[in-house]
Structures are given as C-alpha cells and as structure tokens.
C-alpha cells in the first residue's frame, strides 16, 4: 500500500481528511498523518515479515531451544541481602554432590583491571561489570550473583546452589537516591568519588557524578515570570518486563575458542565484554545471537555469559543457564527510580521564561543510572532562553540499572510535563497551544549544548490539534483528558551489511543486528528500494559475530536507521557492479548504463535485475557487496500522547478510555512495525504509570518478584492504542529515517497524570499511580 | 531431587484409606492450580499426591429443588458455569467460578480446592458463606458437616484433620426473593488476587430485608462472615440506608494488613464500597429495587 504525499504546509488541512493509510482506517482507527514529501516503491509499504512464518509456527529458535550433546545445566546462587560483606564462601558440600560438575565464584575470574569498557550504550569501568557478574567482597543488592554451578540437570544445579554456605555480615542499605545521598549513608563502594565539574570529590560518596548545564540566567527568567510552578516528583524502580528470560549456552572448546549462544541485543557486546572479563582475545569468542523475546535495553548487559564460559572451561562440556522470572527481576537491570524537582516560570502571555530541574536517579549497585540523558531530554521540547539542570547519578542497593527504552527520559517527562500542564492551566491556555507557543524547532539550542537540526516537535503538536480525538467530546463524571510530549535523541553507532546476489534474482542479506520489532524486514526493504526489486526477493539473516562485520547493539532506535543505511550502501555497490555487468554484456562503458527501478538500460537496450543476475557467471562471477557505516545525521524523535481516562474515586482505579500516540518517525519504512513500536511504548508507559513498581520490604528485598504481583498491563487493561505517524524527514538519512523504538515511552506517564488531574483534580507526584495512591489522594483533596 | 508418589483412587473408600494410611504426608490433588505451583517454588514437599479426580463423589455436580446443589470438591469451575440450571439458580456462585483464573485454569481449578487451600483472598469462599454452603467432610472414621464460615482457621489452615478430606459442598436451594453477588477489587482487570472481596446475599419479602449475609475476602487471616452487617439489614426496609449501614458494618469488621496489594486503610474503604455495590446487585437479582 502506498502512502499519500502531502506537503507539510498543507498538513493541517490534509489531516482533517487524511484517508486510506494502512490497516488502521479499515478497522475504524484514526488514520495516520503522513507529512513526508517523498514516496518510494518499497519503503513505506507493508510487506509480510521475512521471519513471520517461523515466529507464528513456533519454529523460530530461541536461546532456551539450544541443547548441545552433553550439556550441563547451570544455576546462580544469589544474595539474600540488600547489602552485606561476604565473610566466607564454602562450596565443598555443593561440589561433592552427585551430578554436580563445577562451582565458580568471583575468585575464578581473572582479577578486574582498572580500565574502561564499552558496554553497548556507553562506557563503564570494567571492575563494575566484573563485580556485577560475580560479587567479590560484598554483595550490593538482593539477587547479586555470588556463585555459579554446573550440574547434570537444572534441578540438581538449584539444589547444589542451596548447599553452598555463604557467611554474610549484613550492612545498612540505601534504597532511594535521597537516602543514599545523605552524608551518613553507608557507602556501597569505598573507591567511588563524585565526579563533579571535571574534578573528583575529597571523600568517597554514593553520588557517582554530578552534571550541571545552564543556559541564560534562570533566576532572571523567574523574576520576569508572572506564573511560577515548582513541584517534586518520585518514580519507582520498574523493569523492562520482556517475556523471554535471559539465557545462555557456552562451549569452551579444546582449541581455546569460546562459542556463546544467547538472547542479546548486541552479540558483539557480549563478545567484547566477555573477552575482556575473561582476558582472552575477542577473536577467540564467537557469539551466536538467537531470536530474542524482547529486550527494551535490558538485554544489552552481560550477566552469566562469562560464568557459563568459565564453567564450560572447567568441565569441558557445554553449560546452559536459563533464568527464572524471579532471577530476571532481582538479578538483571531494571530502570532507575527517580527523584526530580522541576520549576517553570512563564509570563501571562504564555511564553516560558525559565526552566529549572534537579534530577537524582538510582543507578542501582553500580554507576550509570541514565540520569544524564534524562537531564538532556527533560526540557528538549521547549525553546526557552533561561535553563538550569542538575543531574545526580546515585548508587543504591538495588540491581544495577540497564537501559530501558529512551533510558532516563520518561522519569524526567513525568515531572516536567506535569509542571508544564499546571503552568498552562494557571495562565488559562490550552495545553497544546501552550506547548506549541514554546515548542523547540530547528535552530533551538538545548541547555546541554547541541542545536537542533530539522525536528518535528511542532508538527507532532499540530497533529494532535488536527486529530479527531482532540475535538471529540468527553462526557461523564470523573473523566479527564491529558496531553504530554516527549523526546529521545536516537543514536547512530556502527553497522555492517553484506549482500549476495543469487542467479535467480533474489538477494541474501547478511547482518548483525538482533531483530527486534521486524528489523530484518525494515533493513531488507531499504536494500530492495535501492535495487528496485520487491522486499520479498531479499532474504535477510542475522548471523553470528564471525560471519558479519562489527555491528553495535539493537538499541537507541538505531537499527532501521544505521543497519538500514549499511544495507542501502551495500545495495548501491551492487547497483554499481550490475551496471558494470550490463556494460560488459553490451560492450559499453559502465558510465553509459542507467539504473531505475531494477532495470538497467543504455542506448535503447534494457535488462532487468533478475535477468542480469542470471548472467553473472558470464559477466565476471558472483556479485556480492559489503558496506559498513558509522553514520552521523542521527535524527531525534518527538512523541506525544492524547489520553482519556475515567477514575473511580471510591476505589482509585483508572481506566484508560482512549489513547492516541503521535510520533515523528522521519520516515516509516514499514508503517505496521512503526505502529507496533508506538503501541508497545505506549503500553509499557501505561504500565509504568498505573501499577508497575519494585515493591521492596523493609530489609531491601523485592517482595513482588512475579508477574502476578509485578503488575504489567494485560490486554484487558488497555484500549486499542491509536497511532498517528508523523513524518518529518530526517535530512541526515537516505530515506529520512529517524528511528522509532523509544520516544513513544516518554509521554505516557505524564499524559495519564494530566488526564487524572483533569478528571478528579488531583496532582499525582509519585509513580505508580495505583489505586491505593489515587484513592488516598482523592480522600486528601476532599478533606482539605 | 524431590520425588513424589502419586495415587489415583477410584472409589471414595479407597481414597479415604489412602489418607488414613499416609496422614500428614498425603496431599489432595484436585485441579492442582495451587498445589503444583506451591511445590514448584518449594513451599510443599509432601511425599504422596492423591489425585481426587477419579472419585465419583468428588466429581458430582447435582441440583435438586429440595436438597439444593451438591458440588463435589474436585469439580472444575468450567463445569459449574457450564451447567445451565446452576447458572440460573446460583448467580452468586457463578460470579466467582467465572472470575477465578483464566479459561485454562478454570478447566482444572475447583471450588473445593479453593476452599481447602484456605487463602484469605480465596474468591469462592465469601460467596459460599453468603450462600450458606456447608462442607461435607469424611474419613475412614465417618462423616461430619461444617458450615463454610467455620472451615478456615488461619492462612493456609483449616479444620480438616490429617486423615480427613472435603468430599463435597452443599448449597441450600435459594428461597423466594433471594439474591446473591460476589465482587472483588483488583488493580488490573484480570490475572490478579483480590485486594478485598465481598460476597453477599439477601432475602427480600414485602419491601423488607428478611435476611442478609455479608462475607469478606482478603481483610483478615480467614474469610470473614460479618454478622453485624447481616444484622444491619435484617428487618429493615429495602433501601440505600440499610445497605449503607451494612457496608459500614463490613468496613468496621475488617481487620486488614498493609502489604504489596494495598494498605490497611485502603482495604477497609474497599470493604465498604464492595459491600454496598454487591448488595445493590444482590437486591436487583432478588427482584427488589433500592428506590
């Protein structure tokens, strides 16, 4: 299905009558708004995904399906304490059990060197990665891995784990950033000092880093503001909640080569980090990424991969680990709980004059809470002259944070977008009009430095105004409507892609990006567009680290953008080669051959790609091409939500009546998958808003580590999530792609909070906004 | 490794002898939707599983206009809500069997098992109490009957002795002017455990509550029959005032704790709200109006 071509200038008028774009309109949902000015033959259509049959029939192979002959099964012994010194570990009873082959602890790992390592979406100290894999000296959170066991069966491995005797000396623990920042708080790391303005603090601290950005003069801006609102917000620790638990099979071969099969967003990250921890050359490690049952950033870190490798080395057998759901909750990275203060001032005419924020995020046991991207995004949607932002990265006794879909940005938006709403209401302005009046645009400089290139913040807000949802009446008591906008940068990083042309005119596409959300197809479509052949004629495959060039993680909304770009470049090389082949057939100079839509022509003669491919043997042999990219020109994405809720003031329950997600995606390569990403981010945001949280006991242990009690929304808790794709082409990408995976999780929590406020007049300053919290806020507002 | 023995008696007699022989070591397996989960997380490591599903008395589902409903302890939920006569006669029971678990769980999970698991949050139990159900308990030594409200004694504990089993539940036939309802509150719309629940029944005659019963889930160590709430209804005109007084009595009787599913104050509030809403529905089912 082709997309309509609409001039952005006429966008508003067009939106009212927009029609016929995709499956949505057939099912009675609102159609997408397409603003891109360019149309393509393949990019922008909705072919069936290449891996669809295997996924639907259950044939796709996941990590848990890997079972090599002679495999041993692993279990991890985890800390029962939130913070404790390890006095001793006695593994002798476990090791002497029948069917137990080996036990490893931190002592079996090579000592951690003090060096910096790239862990997929940034750098960290190797000693932190090392310490998280197996605890040495101290355990820093309940669930911290202490020992790994390899046994003849998973049950035996678990029994052996319980036979390991660990003597702990419990220590005081800190569960939130404000607690851990107290001078009297117990230190997690004696060698951690605060990095602040390029200097190191005098004394060790739980604050790993303090970053400050200022622009203009915030104090002066507030002095010139007629309306000033300041509030403090807190959000709970939440987990990405991917359905497939982490898993790994490792085989340390007799030739010294290590082969790892696992569920990961970055096979090369697993390869490189495992090699560094084990102090072996990266060339000795091969990682095969299996199909992935969700990651959302949580499957970037390395957990038991080095442990499985060590156990395999010790036993000479393959060793396999599969986490339980409880392991996933307590042993893998959730995203940071946060404490954020926001102050915004505006004049009576609706112009924002000053914005100020203090963000303190819980990094978990090791530095790296993603507070810095949170601070970079917090006011990104606004063009404001006077801004001050302070970010604190704080270690606490919780699992070490991993990335989670636009990591750091949702916590910031929950605070900022509620204060923006309140300022608009005090001035008496429509919340969308207020945001539009102050919207960031091309040339706006963010407080953290960068100046925006072409962005779609205004177009996203205009799309809300033009959408039928915005005008739809909302009747009945205790119902309210909320709006919020959010931003995420997206990233570029490195990708590789190889194309092999078959003699029947199909093309094998080899790439290294774990397929999340249909990226095999969105990458293949970009190659197909360049080659002028159908998407179905490209056969994409995600391969192991020995079989493709280096490729960074599937994360940062980069895969369709960057690996797609590599496919584009490789396809251009194929086109150039095919021109040369045609020239050879016709005894012409390659420069004389033209290519358009898969047909090569010169001097009135023409030949289709398929026929030319069939001639490859006669024209010089097989045609293959490889391209690698490290693209600049990353385009940030703005996303917004319009949400209607109904609150039961007697029980505090919130029902989402209607939810529309808007996002500037640059160019939707495969609109169905783009809609899926927008819906997925929205659903995770709804869960974060209403019920999800790590419910911690007084002793710092997680009480609700099951999917029964850690309440993610079910299909019965959600309305159909309507989507409105906004396409403001990214000038930095051949097809205008920005990346779509993350920005959509940023606005849901504040949009829902604003809708709750509209419905029952309460301002929720803490996540989750679960029924007891809403009920008690309603009671409080009634008694006051 | 933990091994379990598995027995599948074909007659009640055989079944009772198994419990007489293995005593505390034996564990009744009906649907297994609680038991197998508890075994998997290591909370139970008993030696002998006794499968109750081949014993005719435990899988009996029979309605008789004089005797009422005989509900075998191992009858799965789907059979209860799939029986047209039971649907018409006991809508207050249907509320719970349609609520417990998802479709697959309902294919196995039994009302008797829900009662014997004796969780304070069990959805079926307040409904059974409101419906004046009694437990028929047997051992090789003989039979006894216990009202459902006296069955549970503490979280996970009940009046069954080591050698006894619950054979069936008996629900009296609903009299003229009778209506019942069970409502629970969960934060999501499915897949959750009651933060609080209220099972109620009323009997109306000439615009007056002739009888009323209110039982609560998840707000005490056992499901709770609130006598004061019934007393607040009895003899009163059918209307919002009496319902409000009964709801207030339910709130006052609740003894909840604060945990991950809700605070004590919030649960007390829910008792009032759910009791009121359930009574409104029960009155409607009884053919009455609240005016």
């Amino acid at each position: 299905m082709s997309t309509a071509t609409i001039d952005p200038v006429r966008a508003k008028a067009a939106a009212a009558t927009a029609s016929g774009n995709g499956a949505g309109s057939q099912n009675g949902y609102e159609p997408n708004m397409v603003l891109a000015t360019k149309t393509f033959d393949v990019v922008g259509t909705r072919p069936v995904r290449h891996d669809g049959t295997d996924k639907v029939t259950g044939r796709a192979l996941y990590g848990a399906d890997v079972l090599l002959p002679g495999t041993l099964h692993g279990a991890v012994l985890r800390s029962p304490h939130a913070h404790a010194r390890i006095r001793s570990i006695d593994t002798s009873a476990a090791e002497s059990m029948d069917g137990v082959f080996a036990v490893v602890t931190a002592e079996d790992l090579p000592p951690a060197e003090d060096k910096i390592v790239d862990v997929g979406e940034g750098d960290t100290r190797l000693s932190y990665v090392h310490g998280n894999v197996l605890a040495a000296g101290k355990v820093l959170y309940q669930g911290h891995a202490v020992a790994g066991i390899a046994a003849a069966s998973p049950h035996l491995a678990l029994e052996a784990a319980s036979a390991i005797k660990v003597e702990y000396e419990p220590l005081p623990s800190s569960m939130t950033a404000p607690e851990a920042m107290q001078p009297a708080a117990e230190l997690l790391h004696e060698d951690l000092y605060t990095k602040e303005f390029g200097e190191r603090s005098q004394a060790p601290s739980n604050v790993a880093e303090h970053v400050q950005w200022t622009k203009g003069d915030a104090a002066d801006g507030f002095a010139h503001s007629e309306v000033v609102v300041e509030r403090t917000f807190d959000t709970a620790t939440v987990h990405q909640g991917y359905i497939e638990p982490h898993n790994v099979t490792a085989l340390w071969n007799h030739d010294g080569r290590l082969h790892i099969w696992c569920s990961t967003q970055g096979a090369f990250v697993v390869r490189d980090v495992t090699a560094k921890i084990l102090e072996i050359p990266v060339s000795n490690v091969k990682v095969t990424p299996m199909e992935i049952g969700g990651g959302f950033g949580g499957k970037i870190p390395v957990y038991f991969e080095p442990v499985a490798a060590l156990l395999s080395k010790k036993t000479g057998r393959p060793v396999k680990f599969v986490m339980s759901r409880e392991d996933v909750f307590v042993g893998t990275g959730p995203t940071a709980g946060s404490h954020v203060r926001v102050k915004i001032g505006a004049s009576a005419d609706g112009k924002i004059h000053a914005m100020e924020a203090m963000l303190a995020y819980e990094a978990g046991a090791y530095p790296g809470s993603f507070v810095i991207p949170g601070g970079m995004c917090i006011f990104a949607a606004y063009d404001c002259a006077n801004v001050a932002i302070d970010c604190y990265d704080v270690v606490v006794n919780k699992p070490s944070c991993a990335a989670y879909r636009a990591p750091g940005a949702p916590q910031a938006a929950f605070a900022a977008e509620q204060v923006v709403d309140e300022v608009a209401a005090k001035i008496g302005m429509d919340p969308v009009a207020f945001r539009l009046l102050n919207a960031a645009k091309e040339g706006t400089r963010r407080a953290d430095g960068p100046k925006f290139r072409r962005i779609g913040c205004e177009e996203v807000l205009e799309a809300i105004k033009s959408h039928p949802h915005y005008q739809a009446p909302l009747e009945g008591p205790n119902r309210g409507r909320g709006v919020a906008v959010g931003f995420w940068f997206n990233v570029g990083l490195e990708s590789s892609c190889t194309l092999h042309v078959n003699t029947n005119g199909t093309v094998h596409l080899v790439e290294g990006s774990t397929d999340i959300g249909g990226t095999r197809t969105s990458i293949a479509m970009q190659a197909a567009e360049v080659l002028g052949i159908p998407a179905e004629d490209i056969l994409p495959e995600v391969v192991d680290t020995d079989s493709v060039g280096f490729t960074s993680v599937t994360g940062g909304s980069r895969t369709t953008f960057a690996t797609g770009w590599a496919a584009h470049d490789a396809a251009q090389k194929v086109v150039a080669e095919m021109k040369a082949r045609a020239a050879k057939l016709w005894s012409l100079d390659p420069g004389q051959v033209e290519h358009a839509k898969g047909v090569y022509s010169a001097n009135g003669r023409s030949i289709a790609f398929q026929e030319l491919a069939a001639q490859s043997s006669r024209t010089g042999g097989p045609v293959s091409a490889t391209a690698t990219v490290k693209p600049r020109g990353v385009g940030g994405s703005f996303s917004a939500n319009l949400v209607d809720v109904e609150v039961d003031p007697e029980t505090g329950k919130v029902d989402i009546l209607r939810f529309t997600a808007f996002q500037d995606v640059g160019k939707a390569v495969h609109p169905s998958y783009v809609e899926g990403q927008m819906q997925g981010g929205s659903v995770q945001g709804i869960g974060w808003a209403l019920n999800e949280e790590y419910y911690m006991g007084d002793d710092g242990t997680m009480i609700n580590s099951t999917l029964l009690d850690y309440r993610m929304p079910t299909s019965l808790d959600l309305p159909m999530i309507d989507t409105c794709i906004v396409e403001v082409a990214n000038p930095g990408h051949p097809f205008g792609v920005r990346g779509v995976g993350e920005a959509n999780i940023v606005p849901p929590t504040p949009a829902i909070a604003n809708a709750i406020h509209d419905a029952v007049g309460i301002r929720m300053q803490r996540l989750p906004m679960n029924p007891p919290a809403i009920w008690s806020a309603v009671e409080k507002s009634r008694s006051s | 490794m933990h091994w379990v023995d598995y027995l599948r008696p074909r007659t009640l007699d055989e079944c009772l002898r198994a419990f007489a022989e293995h005593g505390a070591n034996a564990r009744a397996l009906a649907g297994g939707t609680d038991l197998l989960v508890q075994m998997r997380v290591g909370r139970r490591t008993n030696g002998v599983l006794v499968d109750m599903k081949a014993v005719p008395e435990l899988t009996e589902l029979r309605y008789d206009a004089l005797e009422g409903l005989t509900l075998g302890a191992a009858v799965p939920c789907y059979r209860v809500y799939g029986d047209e006569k039971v649907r018409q006669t006991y809508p207050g029971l249907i509320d719970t069997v349609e609520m417990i678990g998802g479709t697959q769980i309902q294919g196995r999970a039994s009302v008797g098992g829900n009662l014997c698991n004796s969780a304070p949050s069990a959805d079926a139990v307040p409904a059974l109490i409101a419906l004046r159900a009694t437990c028929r308990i047997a051992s090789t030594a003989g039979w006894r009957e216990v009202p459902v409200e006296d069955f549970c004694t503490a979280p996970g504990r009940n009046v069954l002795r080591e050698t006894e089993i619950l054979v069936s539940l008996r629900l009296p036939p609903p009299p003229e002017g009778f209506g019942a309802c069970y409502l629970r509150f969960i934060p999501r719309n499915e897949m959750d455990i009651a933060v609080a629940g209220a099972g109620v029944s009323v009997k109306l005659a000439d615009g007056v509550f002739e009888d009323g019963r209110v039982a609560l889930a998840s707000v005490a160590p056992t499901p709770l029959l609130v006598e004061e709430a019934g007393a607040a209804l009895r003899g009163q005109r059918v209307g919002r005032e009496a319902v409000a007084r009964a709801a207030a009595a339910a709130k006052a009787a609740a003894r909840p704790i604060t945990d991950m599913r809700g605070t004590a104050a919030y649960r007390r509030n829910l008792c009032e709200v759910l009791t009121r809403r359930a009574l409104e529905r029960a009155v409607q089912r009884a053919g009455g109006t609240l005016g």
Side-chain angles (χ1 to χ4, degrees):
Chain A
M1 193 174 294
S2 65
T3 51
T5 308
I6 299 169
D7 188 307
V9 183
R10 289 184 283 120
K12 250 198 277 184
T17 54
S19 64
N21 186 48
S25 53
Q26 293 160 17
N27 296 329
Y29 317 133
E30 298 309 330
N32 294 322
M33 184 191 290
V34 178
L35 303 179
T37 51
K38 232 171 141 182
T39 55
F40 303 96
D41 296 316
V42 179
V43 166
T45 64
R46 301 172 187 250
V48 171
R49 62 195 289 165
H50 298 83
D51 52 326
T53 305
D54 275 359
K55 295 259 169 83
V56 168
T57 57
R59 289 257 158 81
L61 291 175
Y62 291 81
D65 297 322
V66 175
L67 194 60
L68 306 175
T71 293
L72 298 176
H73 298 270
V76 173
L77 174 68
R78 298 183 181 280
S79 165
H81 300 288
H83 196 187
R85 207 171 297 287
I86 300 172
R87 284 219 182 112
S88 64
I89 304 177
D90 178 1
T91 59
S92 55
E95 280 170 311
S96 65
M97 286 169 67
D98 277 349
V100 173
F101 284 70
V103 178
V104 293
T105 65
E107 285 191 7
D108 295 278
L109 289 172
E113 276 180 70
D114 192 18
K115 63 181 173 192
I116 299 298
V117 57
D118 179 358
V119 287
E121 283 195 335
D123 296 338
T124 192
R125 269 158 71 174
L126 181 61
S127 61
Y128 296 150
V129 185
H130 208 274
N132 200 36
V133 166
L134 284 172
K138 286 212 300 187
V139 287
L140 300 171
Y141 56 96
Q142 176 227 357
H144 200 159
V146 174
I149 298 100
S153 80
H155 308 286
L156 276 173
L158 279 174
E159 280 205 27
S162 63
I164 295 174
K165 292 184 197 74
V166 185
E167 212 188 321
Y168 293 103
E169 176 194 338
L171 298 167
S173 56
S174 299
M175 287 296 138
T176 65
E179 273 176 56
M181 290 169 88
Q182 295 295 321
E186 183 82 13
L187 291 173
L188 274 80
H189 305 277
E190 262 111 56
D191 60 347
L192 179 64
Y193 295 81
T194 307
K195 203 161 78 179
E196 193 169 33
F197 313 131
E199 310 222 334
R200 200 184 94 152
S201 61
Q202 294 290 314
S205 165
N206 288 329
V207 180
E209 192 167 4
H210 171 208
V211 171
Q212 185 180 70
W213 299 293
T214 57
K215 174 186 167 188
D217 182 345
D220 186 60
F222 286 119
H224 288 89
S225 298
E226 276 124 319
V227 172
V228 176
V229 175
E230 179 174 6
R231 282 185 186 273
T232 303
F233 300 84
D234 293 274
T235 70
T237 303
V238 298
H239 198 275
Q240 298 82 350
Y242 30 82
I243 292 302
E244 180 208 24
H246 295 254
N247 53 70
V248 63
T249 300
L251 175 60
W252 197 305
N253 215 349
H254 303 296
D255 60 4
R257 292 261 303 163
L258 171 62
H259 192 166
I260 292 171
W261 296 259
C262 63
S263 175
T264 177
Q265 289 174 241
F268 286 90
V269 175
V270 173
R271 183 192 72 170
D272 293 0
V273 175
T274 303
K276 286 213 172 88
I277 289 176
L278 300 175
E279 292 188 344
I280 55 177
V282 289
S283 51
N284 272 19
V285 185
K286 166 166 147 179
V287 176
T288 301
M290 305 302 292
E291 294 292 350
I292 186 166
F296 313 107
K299 286 197 184 140
I300 296 173
V302 162
Y303 295 107
F304 45 24
E305 290 81 353
V307 179
L310 275 181
L311 287 165
S312 178
K313 189 182 184 188
K314 269 192 157 181
T315 60
R317 312 252 299 248
V319 176
K320 175 178 180 176
F321 283 78
V322 180
M323 285 198 194
S324 67
R325 181 57 56 181
E326 189 185 359
D327 287 334
V328 171
F329 273 121
V330 303
T332 73
T335 196
S338 71
H339 178 74
V340 179
R341 185 176 52 74
V342 166
K343 185 178 174 185
I344 295 174
S347 48
D349 61 359
K351 190 70 202 143
I352 296 176
H353 290 293
M355 307 182 100
E356 197 178 271
M358 187 284 293
L359 306 92
Y361 283 19
E362 301 161 6
Y366 299 95
S369 64
F370 295 93
V371 69
I372 291 168
M376 292 157 84
C377 289
I378 189 163
F379 300 134
Y382 301 97
D383 184 3
C384 175
N386 306 300
V387 184
I389 301 168
D390 282 275
C391 302
Y392 296 89
D393 184 32
V394 188
V395 294
V396 301
N397 296 109
K398 285 183 181 172
S400 188
C401 274
Y404 178 17
R405 212 168 194 157
Q411 296 95 322
F414 177 65
E417 286 296 296
Q418 286 204 71
V419 175
V420 166
D421 226 54
E422 204 170 336
V423 172
K426 286 208 164 150
I427 291 172
M429 274 185 81
D430 171 274
V432 177
F434 179 69
R435 285 174 172 85
L436 255 174
L437 179 66
N438 293 288
K441 48 187 86 59
E442 188 169 1
T444 299
R445 185 174 287 286
R446 285 205 317 263
D448 56 297
K451 200 185 253 189
F452 278 124
R453 305 195 309 167
R454 183 76 175 95
I455 49 169
C457 185
E458 289 181 305
E459 285 79 358
V460 163
L461 291 164
E462 287 288 356
I464 297 180
K465 276 176 70 182
S466 321
H467 197 280
H469 183 175
Y470 197 61
Q471 307 303 335
L474 182 62
E475 284 152 5
N478 303 316
R479 291 182 167 195
R481 178 167 290 162
V483 65
V485 63
F487 172 71
W488 183 250
F489 325 89
N490 302 333
V491 301
L493 306 181
E494 298 166 46
S495 282
S496 306
C497 178
T498 298
L499 299 175
H500 302 293
V501 179
N502 295 313
T503 50
N504 68 352
T506 60
V507 177
H508 279 286
L509 185 155
V510 178
E511 46 118 344
S513 291
T514 303
D515 184 346
I516 295 186
T519 51
R520 275 185 184 87
T521 301
S522 68
I523 292 161
M525 287 170 74
Q526 295 178 61
E529 182 71 44
V530 173
L531 296 174
I533 63 175
E536 293 78 3
D537 286 357
I538 308 274
L539 308 165
E541 197 165 352
V542 181
V543 298
D544 64 71
T545 52
D546 280 7
S547 306
V548 66
F550 183 89
T551 299
S552 307
V553 293
T554 292
S557 301
R558 65 172 290 279
T559 303
T560 297
F561 170 81
T563 309
W565 196 329
H568 167 276
D569 285 3
Q572 284 197 325
K573 289 185 182 176
V574 168
V575 167
E577 179 62 23
M578 293 304 253
K579 280 182 179 172
R581 300 302 178 92
K584 200 164 184 183
L585 273 183
W586 298 329
S587 304
L588 296 169
D589 187 78
Q592 294 172 272
V593 179
E594 302 271 308
H595 168 248
K597 295 181 189 291
V599 177
Y600 294 80
S601 51
N603 299 341
R605 303 163 79 173
S606 68
I607 184 167
F609 177 81
Q610 290 78 4
E611 296 165 60
L612 195 49
Q615 309 269 9
S616 59
S617 186
R618 282 184 49 207
T619 56
V623 177
S624 290
T626 291
T628 63
V629 296
K630 187 175 182 182
R632 300 160 65 85
V634 175
S637 177
F638 283 88
S639 175
N641 293 156
L642 192 55
V643 54
D644 297 349
V645 303
E646 179 171 336
V647 180
D648 181 342
E650 289 189 334
T651 65
K653 189 163 178 173
V654 175
D655 276 318
I656 310 282
L657 303 174
R658 186 170 181 181
F659 194 106
T660 310
F662 303 81
Q663 187 172 350
D664 170 24
V665 306
K667 178 67 195 173
V669 173
H670 193 304
S672 299
Y673 305 163
V674 169
E675 288 156 4
Q677 289 296 312
M678 292 167 70
Q679 291 169 325
S682 300
V683 169
Q684 289 188 310
I686 290 169
W688 199 336
L690 296 181
N691 281 304
E692 292 182 36
E693 68 174 315
Y694 273 46
Y695 188 91
M696 310 300 284
D698 293 337
D699 58 355
T701 61
M702 184 181 185
I703 295 176
N704 60 336
S705 55
T706 67
L707 289 183
L708 175 64
D709 293 314
Y710 180 89
R711 295 189 185 92
M712 301 197 289
T714 72
S715 60
L716 295 167
D717 302 309
L718 300 162
M720 184 65 204
I721 309 290
D722 291 334
T723 55
C724 178
I725 296 173
V726 176
E727 295 185 321
V728 177
N730 172 17
H733 186 272
F735 298 116
V737 170
R738 289 181 185 274
V740 67
E742 294 170 290
N744 40 55
I745 200 176
V746 183
T749 60
I752 292 167
N754 290 336
I756 290 169
H757 180 265
D758 190 41
V760 290
I762 53 172
R763 192 46 83 185
M764 299 302 292
Q765 289 171 246
R766 185 176 285 272
L767 289 181
M769 302 179 283
N770 62 21
I774 301 265
W775 171 74
S776 100
V778 168
E779 288 289 297
K780 219 168 123 190
S781 80
R782 281 183 179 171
S783 64
S784 66
Chain B
M1 299 283 272
H2 297 293
W3 299 97
V4 289
D5 285 328
Y6 172 81
L7 299 176
R8 189 175 168 88
R10 305 281 164 164
T11 66
L12 182 59
D13 199 42
E14 201 186 323
C15 181
L16 295 176
R17 276 188 278 118
F19 279 86
E21 183 187 337
H22 297 287
N25 219 16
R27 205 67 214 168
L29 171 70
T33 57
D34 283 313
L35 181 61
L36 297 184
V37 176
Q38 290 160 0
M39 288 173 66
R40 196 172 161 171
V41 299
R43 260 172 60 198
R44 297 200 188 272
T45 51
N46 298 74
V48 185
L49 287 185
V50 185
D51 190 339
M52 314 298 267
K53 292 188 289 293
V55 179
E57 287 84 346
L58 277 104
T59 54
E60 183 179 16
L61 179 69
R62 182 168 50 86
Y63 178 72
D64 180 291
L66 287 176
E67 285 188 27
L69 182 70
T70 303
L71 172 56
V75 173
C77 291
Y78 86 96
R79 277 185 61 200
V80 180
Y81 63 67
D83 186 308
E84 203 40 52
K85 185 71 198 167
V86 178
R87 282 194 85 87
Q88 285 165 15
T89 318
Y90 299 97
L93 177 65
I94 301 304
D95 287 341
T96 72
V97 288
E98 285 188 334
M99 182 185 287
I100 293 169
T103 305
Q104 289 165 308
I105 297 292
Q106 288 162 0
R108 281 271 162 178
S110 64
V111 172
N114 193 234
L115 179 57
C116 290
N117 189 52
S118 301
S121 57
D123 288 311
V125 181
L128 291 171
I129 294 173
L131 293 167
R132 292 184 182 278
T134 53
C135 307
R136 300 198 68 232
I137 295 167
S139 70
T140 48
W143 289 83
R144 62 178 177 135
E145 288 214 17
V146 174
V148 170
E149 57 267 33
D150 296 336
F151 184 81
C152 299
T153 54
R157 295 177 173 276
N158 55 52
V159 299
L160 288 181
R161 297 175 193 123
E162 283 174 7
T163 56
E164 284 182 330
I165 63 163
L166 175 69
V167 177
S168 61
L169 292 154
R170 188 163 287 171
L171 281 66
E176 190 71 18
F178 184 84
C181 176
Y182 177 75
L183 290 180
R184 71 169 177 191
F185 181 82
I186 55 174
R188 290 187 289 202
N189 292 324
E190 252 304 338
M191 209 175 98
D192 227 324
I193 291 183
V195 181
V200 308
S201 68
V202 296
K203 181 180 173 334
L204 312 182
D206 304 324
V208 169
F209 285 110
E210 210 175 82
D211 194 10
R213 270 165 91 82
V214 173
L216 303 173
S218 280
V219 292
T222 63
L224 203 62
L225 170 64
V226 185
E227 300 281 7
E228 300 84 347
L233 293 172
R234 233 162 281 133
Q236 302 296 312
R237 266 182 47 81
V238 175
R240 298 196 185 278
E241 297 78 27
V243 167
R245 276 197 294 278
K251 180 183 181 178
R255 307 193 302 273
I257 55 165
T258 292
D259 67 8
M260 63 180 162
R261 300 200 174 100
T263 61
Y266 177 65
R267 284 185 152 127
R268 273 192 290 272
N269 165 68
L270 283 180
C271 288
E272 183 169 26
V273 173
L274 294 172
T275 300
R276 170 163 42 80
R277 291 180 183 180
L279 282 169
E280 286 167 1
R281 184 91 182 98
V283 166
Q284 198 183 30
R285 282 176 173 169
T289 52
L290 288 163

